[in-house]
Amino acid sequence: MNYWLFKSEPSDYSFENFISDKETCWEGIRNYQARNFIRDDIKINDEVLFYHSNISEPHLVGLAKVIREAYPDHYSWNKEHKYYDLKSSPDNPRWFMVDIKAIKELKRIVYLKEIKQEPKLSKMILLNNSRLSIQPVKKCERDLIIKMSNN
DNA sequence: GCCAACGTTGGC
DNA sequence: GCCAACGTTGGC
C-alpha cells in the first residue's frame, strides 16, 4: 500500500464537504506530474492524506482511501466545465481521476508549520515542491504525521 | 494581495 | 530544442 497527499483549497472543496459527500471523484487535475501519479501509481486502498492549501494556516486535516483507480476525467471534454481542455477527448483522454472515500478526520490537525519544524519530514515533497497537488508520501513520513496528530 | 517558484506555451 | 513570456499555485 502506498501513501499520498492530496491538496485542496477549502474554499473549493473542504474536508468537511468531503465527509458529507462520503466519496468523491478527484477531478480537475491538470498537471502532468500529478496526472501520471493518478494514471500509473495510485492503487485501490492506497491511503490519502487530505491537505488544506492556500489558506492562512495550511494543514493536514483528514484521511481517505482510494476506492477506484484511474479513469478518464470526462470533465476535460465538457465545454461547459471549468476544467475543459480542448486537447482531451473520449478517444484520447489526456486527464484522469481516481475516486476516494473519506475515512476520518485526524484526531488533531497537523499544520504545515509543524511539519516544517520536524527534521524527519524535511524531505517531504510538500516542503520542496510546493506546487504539486498530488504527491507520494513515504510510510515513515505518514506514520510520523499520524503520530503527531494523536498527540 | 504580493510574489517566488515553477509549469506551459509558442515563436524562432 | 531553446527560451521568453505568461499563467498558476500556494505560502506568507
Side-chain angles (χ1 to χ4, degrees):
Chain A
M1 180 166 84
N2 289 311
Y3 300 93
W4 305 91
L5 184 152
F6 283 21
K7 292 182 188 174
S8 186
E9 299 189 22
S11 58
D12 278 353
Y13 193 72
S14 67
F15 194 72
E16 210 174 16
N17 298 141
F18 182 33
I19 287 278
S20 68
D21 288 349
K22 297 191 176 66
E23 300 178 8
T24 191
C25 59
W26 205 251
E27 90 280 10
I29 294 301
R30 296 292 178 271
N31 166 286
Y32 290 104
Q33 225 182 326
R35 190 278 310 267
N36 293 347
F37 286 134
I38 285 181
R39 192 189 54 191
D40 306 332
D41 300 320
I42 299 183
K43 301 299 178 195
I44 291 266
N45 289 327
D46 280 0
E47 186 180 278
V48 172
L49 300 164
F50 196 105
Y51 181 83
H52 281 159
S53 68
N54 208 12
I55 49 173
S56 62
E57 293 185 302
H59 56 265
L60 285 160
V61 58
L63 296 177
K65 72 171 179 178
V66 176
I67 54 169
R68 184 178 175 187
E69 292 177 11
Y71 61 105
D73 181 344
H74 54 267
Y75 296 111
S76 67
W77 54 75
N78 176 352
K79 279 204 178 72
E80 308 302 313
H81 200 272
K82 175 183 174 190
Y83 295 114
Y84 173 67
D85 181 348
L86 176 69
K87 291 171 182 163
S88 186
S89 68
D91 289 342
N92 190 15
R94 173 176 292 211
W95 304 111
F96 293 82
M97 54 190 178
V98 292
D99 290 353
I100 58 174
K101 180 185 170 69
I103 301 176
K104 61 176 180 184
E105 260 184 280
L106 293 177
K107 196 167 159 198
R108 175 180 79 70
I109 275 173
V110 176
Y111 290 99
L112 175 62
K113 196 165 52 176
E114 302 173 67
I115 293 172
K116 283 185 166 172
Q117 284 164 359
E118 175 49 68
K120 292 194 184 93
L121 298 176
S122 65
K123 296 281 169 51
M124 284 187 74
I125 296 169
L126 186 65
L127 305 183
N128 296 293
N129 179 357
S130 66
R131 301 191 56 208
L132 191 59
S133 64
I134 289 194
Q135 47 188 265
V137 176
K138 293 196 188 82
K139 183 176 191 313
C140 58
E141 295 166 342
R142 176 268 183 196
D143 288 348
L144 181 53
I145 288 165
I146 297 297
K147 193 176 157 199
M148 289 162 77
S149 76
N150 283 324
N151 286 332

